[in-house]
Amino acid sequence: MASSLITALTVTTPTSSIPAAPVTDGEQHGLLHALSKVSDPRDPRGIRYPLSALLAVAVCAVLAGASSFAAITDWLHDLDDHARDRLGFDRIPAPTTMWRLLTRLDADQLAGVLAGWLHHRTTPPSPVQQQYRRVIAVDGKTLRGARRDNGRQVHLLSALDTSTGIVLAQVTIDAKSNEIPAFGPLLDAVEHLLGTLAGILFVADALHTQTGHAEKVAARGAHLMTTVKGNQPTLLAQLKTLPWPQIPAGHRTRDRGHGRSETRTIKTATLNTPGGIAFPHARQAVRITRTRTALATGKTSRETAYLTVSLPTGQALPADLQTWARQEWLIENQVHHVRDVTFREDAHQARTGTGPAVIATLRNTAIGWHRANGDTNIARALRRANRRSHDLITAVTSSHPTTQ
């Protein structure tokens, strides 16, 4: 019945739970203090404007909806004298000044600094259930409007804290590479920010169902949950041959919206034998069946997804697995989609130096800032911030986690 490599299976019936992981808020500082940690790429001779002041303007402008380098300078130009003075400007820099700076910054360093600033100002939600675990979604995004000199598009890999909506890390993928080698540096960046990855669950798409990824995550005391597709044919074949018809459903949800109804049914099986599946550290096999019915036509479609997770049954209830599987999509829906639609990122043709990655980091920061303040409509939040420039400046430069 089962695959030759899988000699023992039991239906998942978890009964125990783990205590909530302690959360450390960290030291809280204002934006200007945080930005002082960014390396200045400019020649010390002839510097007219402080680096932290220029970067603070860039952050505030994007928080207020600026979607290009020119719009950032325009936002500063439109401020009254008092607002500019609060940011450290007695005159307005030329648009090329801002452009030259932002296209020469260390994009990965800036991403780490701004993620740390947001993270330390944000208190994670209190666990309503005993079974609370920080879940980080990993996904890549191509900046379609930004092309390098060789014609290749810029590609970024990001990690989203699904509980706060903050992008914790973003790394630029080498022009001749892909997301897979960038996964390790991304883990390093998240670990540097949080201090430890112990107990954290990383969720990612099938591209990251890699044995090397599983080893790297396990070595840090974290866990990995990934979808299994054709890029791992042996593993996919093993999962498909499990006796799913004999395994009862562990959890089922039903939703209606967007002109359709959808039922998601999850089944899980625990792998008792060490090495019993062709993927390191896998403790459970997961099958999710999605049945969708169009309300207008009554047409029904069915989709089946297979996953593996390194958490044992006592630490991953079927309902949790169902939720975590859907959280993988949060980085696409709450970050990448907003950057494309609200900030028109794919239409932005910034291509010089590190400019594409830097402006993407500023957009991530704006989205994370507004989500941390409770906003779900980011476009509306941007417009409000633009109308209330003094409140925005007060909020981001404060050393306390107040909202704007």
Side-chain angles (χ1 to χ4, degrees):
M1 177 180 292
S3 167
S4 59
L5 291 180
I6 304 175
T7 58
L9 294 169
T10 59
V11 176
T12 299
T13 55
T15 56
S16 61
S17 61
I18 58 174
V23 177
T24 302
D25 292 333
E27 189 176 8
Q28 296 170 342
H29 291 297
L31 179 62
L32 291 171
H33 182 280
L35 292 173
S36 65
K37 302 174 185 177
V38 177
S39 301
D40 195 335
R42 299 174 296 176
D43 188 324
R45 296 171 297 179
I47 289 180
R48 295 183 179 181
Y49 306 99
L51 175 68
S52 57
L54 288 169
L55 294 182
V57 166
V59 172
C60 289
V62 179
L63 283 171
S67 58
S68 67
F69 296 129
I72 290 172
T73 305
D74 288 345
W75 182 83
L76 177 61
H77 184 278
D78 291 340
L79 294 178
D80 58 41
D81 292 340
H82 178 55
R84 285 197 292 269
D85 184 65
R86 294 177 65 194
L87 289 171
F89 289 89
D90 56 1
R91 54 184 173 177
I92 301 172
T96 53
T97 298
M98 187 69 72
W99 175 81
R100 283 196 300 265
L101 172 65
L102 296 180
T103 57
R104 295 165 57 196
L105 289 171
D106 183 329
D108 292 350
Q109 182 193 41
L110 179 66
V113 167
L114 290 177
W117 170 66
L118 277 182
H119 171 69
H120 293 321
R121 293 173 63 93
T122 304
T123 302
S126 301
V128 178
Q129 306 172 346
Q130 287 185 329
Q131 187 81 10
Y132 172 74
R133 184 178 298 278
R134 172 174 269 153
V135 179
I136 295 178
V138 175
D139 193 27
K141 185 181 188 300
T142 298
L143 308 185
R144 302 189 184 281
R147 292 186 180 273
R148 306 177 192 271
D149 293 338
N150 59 7
R152 290 178 177 267
Q153 293 174 315
V154 176
H155 198 79
L156 307 172
L157 185 65
S158 305
L160 173 75
D161 186 337
T162 60
S163 65
T164 62
I166 294 173
V167 174
L168 299 177
Q170 177 179 275
V171 296
T172 305
I173 297 172
D174 186 77
K176 297 182 180 180
S177 186
N178 56 53
E179 290 184 23
I180 296 175
F183 188 80
L186 186 74
L187 286 183
D188 293 338
V190 176
E191 186 173 32
H192 178 75
L193 175 64
L194 300 181
T196 179
L197 299 183
I200 292 175
L201 176 67
F202 288 86
V203 294
D205 60 23
L207 179 62
H208 296 285
T209 307
Q210 306 288 333
T211 57
H213 290 12
E215 297 289 1
K216 288 183 176 70
V217 170
R220 293 167 168 82
H223 300 278
L224 181 66
M225 180 176 179
T226 57
T227 306
V228 180
K229 291 185 177 179
N231 61 324
Q232 294 287 346
T234 301
L235 176 58
L236 179 60
Q238 288 181 337
L239 295 181
K240 285 184 175 181
T241 58
L242 298 182
W244 296 111
Q246 285 74 49
I247 299 175
H251 188 257
R252 181 176 286 112
T253 61
R254 294 181 176 88
D255 292 316
R256 291 170 67 95
H258 304 287
R260 69 186 183 190
S261 64
E262 182 174 83
T263 301
R264 304 178 193 87
T265 303
I266 185 169
K267 293 184 177 183
T268 59
T270 301
L271 307 171
N272 282 342
T273 306
I277 195 169
F279 197 69
H281 306 287
R283 301 292 296 275
Q284 293 190 75
V286 181
R287 190 184 79 169
I288 299 177
T289 303
R290 305 180 184 95
T291 304
R292 299 185 179 96
T293 302
L295 300 180
T297 64
K299 183 178 179 180
T300 298
S301 62
R302 179 171 295 178
E303 177 185 62
T304 300
Y306 296 92
L307 305 92
T308 65
V309 62
S310 61
L311 283 164
T313 59
Q315 299 180 26
L317 300 169
D320 296 322
L321 295 170
Q322 183 94 278
T323 299
W324 296 337
R326 300 190 70 184
Q327 286 179 334
E328 183 220 320
W329 290 94
L330 290 182
I331 189 169
E332 173 64 33
N333 296 336
Q334 295 188 359
V335 179
H336 295 168
H337 180 73
V338 175
R339 278 164 46 184
D340 283 339
V341 174
T342 304
F343 286 103
R344 304 184 298 281
E345 182 168 84
D346 281 351
H348 190 207
Q349 297 183 359
R351 64 187 69 185
T352 304
T354 59
V358 167
I359 196 72
T361 291
L362 295 174
R363 292 165 183 154
N364 288 340
T365 303
I367 295 167
W369 166 270
H370 290 302
R371 290 206 187 280
N373 286 341
D375 290 298
T376 56
N377 187 326
I378 302 302
R380 178 184 297 171
L382 296 175
R383 293 192 296 269
R384 183 184 66 242
N386 190 44
R387 293 193 303 269
R388 304 174 182 175
S389 57
H390 280 281
D391 291 345
L392 174 63
I393 294 170
T394 297
V396 299
T397 57
S398 169
S399 60
H400 302 287
T402 53
T403 58
Q404 172 262 329

